[in-house]
Structures are given as structure tokens and as C-alpha cells.
Amino acid sequence: MRYTGENTDRPEGILSPGAAEDKSRWDLRPKRLASCIGQERLVKTLSIAIQAARKREEPLDHILLHGPPGLGKTTFANVIAREMETSIVTTSGPALERAGDLIAYLTGLERGSVLFIDEIHRLPKVVEEFLYPAMEDFAVDFIFDKGAHARSHRFRLERFTLVGATTRPGLLSAPLRERFGITRAVQFYTEDELVEVVKRSAGILEVKATGEGAAEIAKRARGTPRIANTLLKRVRDYAQVKADGIISKEVAQAALELEGVDDKGLTDLDRTLLVSIIRFYKGGPVGLEAIAATLQQESDTIVDMVEPFLLKIGFLARTPSGRIVTEEAARHLNEFPSKTKKSEKKPTGELGL
């Protein structure tokens, strides 16, 4: 399988034969670097690296992309493969339970192919160690028999590009992290960039959105294109059923209020977390496990899905003692902790003991 060099932004997802002509309605991801919105430093870095590799007729260096969910790490992996006009094989850290699982992927790669491993920080240690020689020497070592009769055989691999994606870069071991030639963070998007994302997606979905309507969706999208596209689809549904099919500011506001997304982009889970810390823990500090138990959520869900945005907008603070809700968040929610004793001092700008 090879991607064509055609510079098109039309989606090419795999659909049923009868829906082939309608595939643009389902895939909103950009296909080329020129179509990517935002992430200017990352796009420039990848553009230079790709052009240089193609001039030398060599595969790209291994690439590590890290950042919160929904910012486009998987999209960039697919864009890299398209720009290099090569195939991409996709898997994830939890799916590679044994070294044999990884071998099946590595031995099937063609020269220049992209191997994309999502959530690479969740690779088992034995699989990670097996990956080292594959990344560095493009070879894997097989051990036959045991004890005195043990012998090894080195199997040469085609030169490939490993693209790793992770939401928790701190959990990667140093030996694995150092084997990536390019390491870049995928940042939250600005509201202006998300307005462009919404407008582009609205065009693909063939729905009319005013500038103010697109801005209202972008404002509540938490700096994340995936969320912006999800909200756009829900607002589109509302506009088609409750309005004239046009996404205006008023229609977007009504639809997103129905979805439980406020003007700051907070969801029901965000508000529940903040209010719980204020009411039950007097604004904090409180440990992660206590919060998870109170909300009956996994701690990983809070760390990966909830906290990044709340930290970004200054509604939550991390301290050595635990999480603290800020005064700005309390004012937004109109929720304040019970009064503390006068002898107790609060950290400036934060609510806590």
C-alpha cells in the first residue's frame, strides 16, 4: 500500500462501497501539512525533515509526539506517511503484550514505512527492550533453545520510521525517549485557530455556520480540535431540528447549553470535580486518589482528560500537598468553601487550607 502524491484534502477513509461518494462527511482530519491548522513550529519542523529525507531518499528519523488527547498526534502520524508517500501501520502500547506481537509488525514493514504506536508509554518493559535494536540498528535478535544449547540469530529489518504518541511523556524510560530523533509537543490550539478548524469542518460536512456561530463553538472547545469537531456535529443536529439549519451564535449557545458545555468549555465532569473539591475539601489541597474516589472515576481519566484543560485556564492548581481550586474557578461556579479560621492563611490567589 502506498499513498498517492496527489495534493488533496478530500478524506480517503475506508467505507462501505455504497457510501463511497459520501466519505467526506465522516473524515474531518487534514491529509497534508499544508492543510494543518495551527501547530506552526511542529509543522515547520516536520516540513523541513520530510523535504530533507526525500531529497536524500531516506526514511525519516523516529518521531515522538506528546500532548493531551485530541490535539492531532494520530493525524500528524498519518500526514507524515502521506507526505513521505509511504504506508502506515498503526497499533498501540497496550496491544503489544509480548515481543512476538511487535515482531509481527516489524517484519512486515517495507522500506520507509511508518510504524505508529499510540500510547507508547504503556509498552510492557520486555517489548520496549525488544524495540531498542529495531529502532537503532534496524534488526531484531531471536533466541533459539535454552541453556547450553541457546543460540541467537539477528534478523535485519527494512529501514522504517517509528512515530510514537503519548499523553504521559514523563512515563517513558530515558533509553526509549533518547532513541527518537525528533521530539515535539503538540500544544493546545488558540480560539482563532479553532475557528478555522470549525469553518473547515463545516465546509466538509456541508453545513452553514456564521462567523459568530463558529467562534461560539471554538470558545467552548477546550483548545482541542477533536472536541471542536464533536461540538460542531452536535450543534449541526440541533440546527437542523430546532432551527433553520444554519449555525448562528444563538443556535450554538442553545445547543451547547443542552450538551452541558458552558461558556468556558467546562463539562459536567469538570464542574463536578471543582465543586467536589470546594464542598468536601474546602477548596483543597486534596490528593488525586481522594478526588477519584469522590467522583467514582479512574485517576488516569482525571489526569489525562480533565486536569490538563483546568490547569491551562487556571481553574486548578497542583501543589506538593495536592490539588487546589483557584479563586477564579470559584467565582465562575459561584461556589465557595466554608470559611476557615482567621488564624489559617490561604495561598494567594487560591482557595485552600
Side-chain angles (χ1 to χ4, degrees):
M1 169 185 174
R2 293 181 66 84
Y3 290 128
T4 65
E6 183 183 358
N7 192 359
T8 176
D9 200 38
R10 299 294 289 179
E12 298 175 20
I14 300 175
L15 298 172
S16 61
E21 71 281 2
D22 196 39
K23 59 188 175 182
S24 65
R25 293 182 178 273
W26 302 102
D27 194 347
L28 303 179
R29 292 174 173 174
K31 304 303 177 190
R32 296 285 180 175
L33 284 176
S35 302
C36 293
I37 298 169
Q39 307 295 340
E40 291 184 6
R41 291 184 61 188
L42 174 57
V43 169
K44 288 180 180 178
T45 297
L46 293 178
S47 178
I48 292 172
I50 289 169
Q51 290 180 53
R54 294 192 64 172
K55 283 184 178 180
R56 295 191 302 266
E57 297 184 351
E58 295 178 356
L60 274 171
D61 278 345
H62 302 305
I63 300 170
L64 177 64
L65 303 174
H66 59 89
L71 297 184
K73 297 183 291 295
T74 302
T75 296
F76 276 110
N78 283 276
V79 166
I80 289 167
R82 289 182 182 276
E83 294 288 355
M84 290 297 294
E85 298 185 1
T86 189
S87 59
I88 181 170
V89 177
T90 301
T91 184
S92 66
L96 301 173
E97 298 179 350
R98 298 176 297 275
D101 298 331
L102 179 62
I103 292 174
Y105 285 101
L106 294 175
T107 55
L109 296 175
E110 301 173 353
R111 176 177 171 79
S113 295
V114 172
L115 174 61
F116 175 58
I117 303 180
D118 197 11
E119 295 301 300
I120 195 170
H121 66 273
R122 296 177 63 184
L123 278 176
K125 190 65 178 177
V126 63
V127 178
E128 179 181 317
E129 292 177 349
F130 198 84
L131 190 58
Y132 296 160
M135 294 177 67
E136 205 162 28
D137 303 324
F138 299 100
V140 290
D141 296 314
F142 294 95
I143 306 297
F144 300 96
D145 297 328
K146 295 182 180 180
H149 300 286
R151 51 196 175 89
S152 65
H153 172 71
R154 170 156 284 202
F155 181 84
R156 293 290 175 182
L157 303 171
E158 295 289 349
R159 291 180 64 88
F160 68 96
T161 297
L162 174 63
V163 178
T166 176
T167 56
R168 311 279 290 277
L171 297 184
L172 263 69
S173 65
L176 178 59
R177 188 167 55 246
E178 291 166 359
R179 282 173 167 80
F180 287 95
I182 301 173
T183 301
R184 291 291 183 273
V186 187
Q187 307 288 349
F188 282 109
Y189 288 63
T190 66
E191 281 190 22
D192 290 340
E193 290 168 347
L194 287 176
V195 169
E196 295 303 314
V197 170
V198 172
K199 288 181 177 179
R200 174 186 173 276
S201 298
I204 294 174
L205 295 172
E206 299 179 2
V207 58
K208 185 175 180 180
T210 66
E212 291 182 341
E216 192 65 29
I217 295 173
K219 183 174 69 173
R220 305 184 188 216
R222 304 166 67 91
T224 306
R226 181 187 296 167
I227 295 176
N229 287 330
T230 299
L231 295 181
L232 171 63
K233 292 177 181 178
R234 302 288 70 76
V235 175
R236 175 190 61 172
D237 294 345
Y238 185 93
Q240 290 177 342
V241 174
K242 295 290 188 178
D244 55 3
I246 299 175
I247 298 177
S248 63
K249 179 178 180 179
E250 293 74 18
V251 169
Q253 287 176 338
L256 295 176
E257 286 175 7
L258 185 62
E259 290 294 317
V261 180
D262 68 17
D263 59 353
K264 288 287 188 179
L266 300 187
T267 64
D268 291 335
L269 180 57
D270 298 323
R271 290 189 292 270
T272 300
L273 181 145
L274 295 172
V275 170
S276 295
I277 296 176
I278 292 172
R279 290 181 179 177
F280 301 128
Y281 303 101
K282 299 182 180 180
V286 57
L288 175 62
E289 295 303 322
I291 298 173
T294 301
L295 300 181
Q296 297 184 345
Q297 296 282 345
E298 295 292 335
S299 57
D300 285 347
T301 300
I302 295 173
V303 171
D304 293 338
M305 304 297 293
V306 182
E307 281 193 343
F309 180 67
L310 296 179
L311 292 168
K312 173 181 176 290
I313 63 175
F315 276 16
L316 194 68
R318 282 181 182 172
T319 71
S321 302
R323 275 67 172 172
I324 294 176
V325 175
T326 64
E327 289 183 1
E328 185 179 358
R331 287 194 297 269
H332 174 73
L333 298 169
N334 197 28
E335 285 278 352
F336 298 90
S338 57
K339 293 182 179 180
T340 56
K341 296 179 181 178
K342 291 183 179 180
S343 61
E344 294 174 334
K345 295 182 179 179
K346 300 176 184 177
T348 303
E350 296 172 348
L351 295 170
L353 294 177

